């Protein structure tokens, strides 16, 4: 997956914006190609160093990948969901593309059961959410997604643990 290969590239550079445009054009022209659940998680994971403030191509990639999430015939696993959300660090939450993606991810989160989540899945999901950029209040779609993750946490082996703390790359999330 080409998007996975661009993790840690910075979208503020023109050359990366051009690369994103090429990848987006290719994905857009491949409407008949269906990504697997792992492919979706990996593609979104690859966007982790991108900022939707730098270029419209980041938002375009999110919109194109949201469509692939909607069309994915496989259930996304908790691992895939964690990767997808982790990749959204730096993305602005108030765009139509991110709203669409949050809704598509909600569908897949609903299909999972909390007992299938491990600490890594919650840690990656929460690290991604905590790295989102918001100009105002949290969007309804993001709020609903967070509520669903909270439900999955309550269904998991971590339910009811006081002062639960997830550590992700030295970042603590409580």
């Amino acid at each position: 997956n080409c998007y996975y290969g661009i993790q840690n590239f910075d979208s503020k550079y023109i050359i990366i914006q051009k690369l994103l445009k090429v990848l987006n054009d290719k994905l857009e022209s491949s409407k008949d190609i269906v990504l697997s659940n792992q492919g979706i998680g990996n593609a979104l994971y690859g966007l982790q160093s991108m900022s939707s403030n730098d270029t419209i191509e980041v938002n375009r990639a999110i919109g194109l990948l949201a469509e692939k999430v909607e069309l994915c015939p496989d259930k996304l696993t908790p691992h895939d969901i964690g990767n997808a959300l982790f990749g959204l660090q730096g993305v602005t939450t108030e765009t139509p593309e991110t709203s669409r993606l949050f809704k598509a991810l909600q569908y897949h989160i609903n299909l999972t059961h909390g007992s299938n989540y491990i600490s890594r899945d919650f840690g990656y999901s929460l690290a991604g959410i905590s790295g989102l950029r918001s100009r105002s209040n949290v969007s309804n779609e993001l709020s609903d997604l967070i509520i669903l993750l909270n439900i999955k946490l309550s269904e998991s082996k971590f339910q009811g643990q006081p002062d639960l703390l997830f550590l992700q790359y030295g970042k603590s999330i409580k």
Side-chain angles (χ1 to χ4, degrees), residues 137-156:
N137 295 329
V138 173
S139 70
N140 290 336
E141 294 81 11
L142 178 57
S143 179
D144 292 344
L145 189 142
I146 292 168
I147 289 168
L148 280 175
L149 282 175
N150 209 2
I151 291 168
K152 300 308 169 183
L153 183 61
S154 72
E155 295 171 348
S156 76

Side-chain angles (χ1 to χ4, degrees), residues 74 85 123 155 158:
D74 306 325
L85 290 171
E155 295 171 348
F158 306 107

